């Protein structure tokens, strides 16, 4: 590995967990929703890519005598008063569209668990490990991607023998995007820490803000949702064998180097995300040796569209989905034989193409032709968690978590995640997690580090200030 890129290792282990109790958590006070009431979800909340639960885990060292489970449970009950939609359930209404409905004895779900292992037995808990799945509760025989009639918040507090604990959390993406989830978590953590309800800003629902136009007005092709028959080897190579999860630490200096290389000799600036996403996309495709060369690939990533809303800005407390899926496309040949700045420009353009009009067109597209299945043809999706203050907003009274974030990407192997590093001395470093066949993992690491793979002649010229 080159300086600035470090492959991180995690142990293969089994965590024996004993469930002590499973109980619903109802709002601590009456809420403005009676049995039989419903709430509207926008098409952004109901897009196929958000009909999922987002599983995360948080590790804490604890020398406090405060009872972990009761503090977390009581704070959750308090927060479910202003965030009462999380105490409901989802169901399908007409045309397969989802809505929130309320019935008796719903609420969130809280699981209290324990293990005889210590946190030290897990090895390095700053590196996401698929072996931690026992710390996040799933129902027996639960269907993959099931969201209908499920608790919308599922929390498992697991006590370790050393006194530390983990919080394994599943939140339904249909109710909030990453920004909204951080708002909810911040309120829950602040409430647990203070011992009384702390909510700032006040949450608001306002999903009607994103109703489709009448008649719908689809103004863009929305390639991100199109079904593409995958005539390439990309998807086949990932799904025919069980992929393995790889994790790398990317230093801030290395990211800066890539950004310089990606925009050297170009007329337009790019962001660090543009450069990193371009580099990962090229390395991923080259490592998999994707064929045929003329096949058109897709790179998708979510863009927070809140800053794009000029006509009707949202209230500060809005916590619903305001994401647009941006999509860059390239042939295999163009991607691997072009230079980094070519790919970065494609990603930059896809990002900048997301506008308020694009958001409205997305809403109308889903209304007219609601996609019901996830599409993987020729696709890599990059999810950027580095923009979230997940470590700062999850201090429940036991300090910042040692680790906060997702753990297992293998169920959806065409996803790459950029994670913030949690240490106070991270200096802009990030963690990069991706799934690959074992046969391609070494090649990917070499390409990612730029150590053993020489730059193309065009990239050398670009790095020296010439046009690429």
């Amino acid at each position: 590995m080159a300086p600035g890129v470090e492959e991180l290792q995690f142990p293969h282990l089994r965590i024996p967990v004993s469930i002590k109790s499973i109980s619903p958590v109802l709002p601590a006070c009456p809420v403005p929703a009676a049995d039989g009431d419903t709430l509207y979800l926008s098409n952004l909340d109901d897009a196929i890519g958000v009909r999922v639960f987002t599983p995360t885990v948080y590790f804490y060292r604890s020398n406090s005598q405060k009872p972990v489970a009761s503090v977390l449970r009581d704070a959750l009950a308090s927060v479910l008063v202003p965030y009462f939609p999380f105490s409901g359930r989802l169901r399908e209404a007409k045309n397969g569209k989802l809505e929130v409905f309320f019935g008796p004895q719903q609420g969130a779900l809280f699981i209290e668990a324990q293990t005889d292992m210590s946190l030290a037995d897990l090895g390095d808990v700053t590196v996401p490990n698929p072996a931690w799945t026992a710390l996040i509760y799933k129902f027996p025989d639960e269907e993959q991607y099931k969201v209908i009639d499920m608790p919308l918040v599922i929390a498992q507090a697991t006590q370790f023998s050393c006194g530390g604990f983990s919080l394994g959390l599943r939140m339904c993406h249909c109710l909030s995007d990453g920004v909204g989830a951080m708002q909810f978590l911040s309120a829950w953590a602040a409430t647990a820490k203070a011992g009384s309800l702390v909510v700032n800003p006040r949450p608001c629902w306002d999903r009607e803000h994103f109703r489709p136009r009448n008649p719908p007005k689809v103004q863009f092709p929305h390639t991100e949702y199109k079904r593409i028959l995958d005539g390439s080897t990309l998807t086949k190579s990932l799904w025919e064998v069980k992929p393995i999860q790889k994790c790398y630490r990317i230093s801030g200096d290395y990211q800066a180097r890539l950004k310089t290389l990606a925009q050297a000799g170009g007329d337009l600036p790019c962001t660090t995300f543009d450069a990193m996403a371009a580099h990962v996309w090229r390395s991923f495709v080259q490592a998999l040796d994707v064929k045929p060369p003329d096949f058109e690939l897709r790179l998708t990533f979510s863009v927070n569209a809140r800053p794009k809303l000029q006509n009707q800005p949202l209230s500060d407390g809005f916590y619903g989905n305001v994401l647009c899926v941006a999509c860059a496309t390239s042939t295999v040949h163009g991607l691997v034989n072009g230079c980094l700045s070519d790919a970065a420009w494609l990603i930059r353009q896809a990002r900048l193409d997301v506008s308020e009009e694009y958001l409205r067109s997305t809403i109308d597209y889903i209304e007219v032709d609601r996609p019901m299945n996830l599409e993987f043809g020729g696709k890599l999706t990059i999810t950027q968690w580095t923009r979230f203050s997940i470590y700062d907003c999850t201090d429940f009274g036991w300090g910042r978590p040692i680790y906060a974030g997702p753990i297992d990407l293998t169920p959806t192997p065409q996803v790459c995640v950029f994670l913030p590093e949690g240490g106070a001395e991270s200096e802009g470093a990030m963690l990069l997690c991706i799934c690959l066949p074992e046969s391609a993992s070494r090649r990917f690491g070499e390409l990612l580090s730029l150590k053993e793979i020489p730059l193309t002649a065009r990239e050398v010229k670009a790095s020296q200030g010439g046009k690429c």
Side-chain angles (χ1 to χ4, degrees):
M1 290 286 163
V5 178
E6 177 188 3
E7 183 177 344
L8 305 175
Q9 306 295 330
F10 50 81
H12 300 281
L13 48 83
R14 177 182 171 275
I15 305 174
V17 170
S18 300
I19 302 295
K20 296 175 65 178
S21 67
I22 301 176
S23 57
V25 180
L26 303 176
C29 301
V31 298
D35 291 354
D37 285 353
T38 62
L39 286 174
Y40 176 79
L41 287 171
S42 79
N43 285 343
L44 300 175
D45 298 315
D46 193 21
I48 185 62
V50 300
R51 285 190 173 203
V52 295
F53 278 87
T54 304
T56 51
V57 73
Y58 310 81
F59 288 107
Y60 300 88
R61 293 189 177 93
S62 174
N63 296 315
S64 168
Q65 297 303 308
K66 289 192 299 181
V68 170
S70 60
V71 168
L72 293 175
R73 187 190 298 111
D74 292 349
L76 179 57
S78 296
V79 168
L80 285 177
V81 176
Y83 285 96
F84 69 92
F86 278 106
S87 67
R89 297 289 187 272
L90 297 183
R91 70 181 179 190
E92 284 192 347
K94 61 181 181 180
N95 300 324
K97 182 167 174 54
L98 296 179
E99 65 182 8
V100 179
F101 80 99
F102 298 91
Q105 297 300 308
Q106 292 179 335
L109 192 68
F110 193 90
I111 297 91
E112 186 176 359
Q114 64 183 21
T115 178
D116 292 334
M117 296 180 75
S118 68
L119 286 177
D121 293 331
L122 302 187
D124 187 352
V125 293
T126 66
V127 183
N129 188 341
W132 298 341
T133 52
L135 305 176
I136 301 176
Y137 185 76
K138 291 191 74 172
F139 292 97
D141 303 319
E142 181 182 322
E143 298 173 22
Q144 192 175 27
Y145 306 127
K146 182 181 179 181
V147 295
I148 293 173
D149 205 26
M150 290 275 288
L152 301 177
V153 177
I154 302 171
Q156 176 179 321
T158 304
Q159 195 78 48
F160 286 78
S161 62
C162 59
F165 70 95
S166 65
L167 174 63
L169 190 61
R170 296 172 69 199
M171 293 179 62
C172 184
H173 203 330
C174 295
L175 266 69
S176 64
D177 58 14
V179 173
M182 293 304 110
Q183 181 181 308
F184 175 85
L185 282 172
S186 181
W188 183 10
T191 297
K193 194 171 184 179
S196 59
L197 182 62
V198 179
V199 178
N200 184 25
R202 297 291 302 180
C204 65
W205 189 250
D206 286 358
R207 309 302 167 100
E208 295 78 9
H209 187 95
F210 295 117
R211 284 192 180 274
R213 293 172 286 197
N214 189 12
K217 188 178 177 184
V218 180
Q219 296 174 280
F220 301 89
H222 294 290
T223 309
E224 63 273 21
Y225 291 114
K226 297 287 187 185
R227 182 172 187 197
I228 295 176
L229 293 175
D230 198 344
S232 77
T233 59
L234 188 151
T235 305
K236 185 178 179 182
S237 65
L238 285 167
W239 291 86
E240 280 195 341
V241 298
K242 184 173 175 58
I244 58 173
Q245 182 166 307
K246 305 296 286 187
C247 188
Y248 305 86
R249 182 183 185 274
I250 313 295
S251 72
D253 288 343
Y254 190 81
Q255 294 172 59
R257 176 188 167 195
L258 274 179
K259 181 178 177 181
T260 299
L261 182 61
Q263 61 190 5
D267 299 322
L268 297 173
C270 72
T271 65
T272 300
F273 172 79
D274 297 336
M276 280 299 307
H279 185 47
V280 169
W281 191 21
R282 296 175 76 215
S283 300
F284 178 75
V285 171
Q286 285 180 275
L288 292 176
D289 193 23
V290 178
K291 293 180 174 59
D294 61 347
F295 184 80
E296 189 164 89
L297 303 166
R298 292 179 291 179
L299 178 83
T300 59
F301 55 95
S302 295
V303 174
N304 176 16
R306 286 170 174 79
K308 312 285 186 177
L309 301 177
Q310 303 299 321
N311 295 326
Q312 291 181 291
L314 295 169
S315 302
D316 286 343
F318 184 85
Y319 59 96
N321 286 279
V322 199
L323 296 177
C324 262
V325 180
C327 183
T329 63
S330 171
T331 63
V332 174
H333 181 272
L335 185 66
V336 301
N337 290 291
C339 60
L340 182 65
S341 62
D342 295 334
W345 185 89
L346 293 173
I347 293 165
R348 176 185 185 274
Q349 198 58 48
R351 175 174 53 81
L352 295 179
D353 281 346
V354 172
S355 61
E356 185 167 8
E357 194 55 45
Y358 194 92
L359 183 80
R360 294 291 173 184
S361 179
T362 298
I363 294 167
D364 292 350
Y365 178 88
I366 295 171
E367 185 70 15
V368 171
D369 186 14
R370 187 175 302 278
M372 299 304 291
N373 295 295
L374 291 168
E375 297 297 339
F376 298 103
K379 186 185 287 187
L380 174 66
T381 296
I382 293 182
T383 302
Q384 185 185 12
W385 289 53
T386 49
R387 55 189 172 177
F388 302 137
S389 55
I390 190 168
Y391 284 88
D392 294 326
C393 74
T394 50
D395 178 355
F396 290 85
W398 292 275
R400 281 165 51 103
I402 311 166
Y403 173 78
I407 64 172
D408 187 9
L409 307 184
T410 54
T412 51
Q414 286 172 249
V415 173
C416 172
V417 181
F418 294 171
L419 298 171
E421 189 175 52
E425 307 299 323
S426 65
E427 298 181 341
M430 75 173 193
L431 303 182
L432 185 160
C433 297
I434 194 167
C435 289
L436 296 156
E438 191 163 8
S439 59
S441 61
R442 180 176 178 179
R443 173 73 169 163
F444 177 81
E446 292 171 347
L447 290 159
L448 184 68
S449 69
L450 293 175
K451 182 180 179 183
E452 296 184 27
I453 308 302
L455 300 178
T456 66
R458 298 180 71 206
E459 286 172 325
V460 171
K461 185 177 180 182
S463 67
Q464 294 171 345
K467 293 285 185 180
C468 186

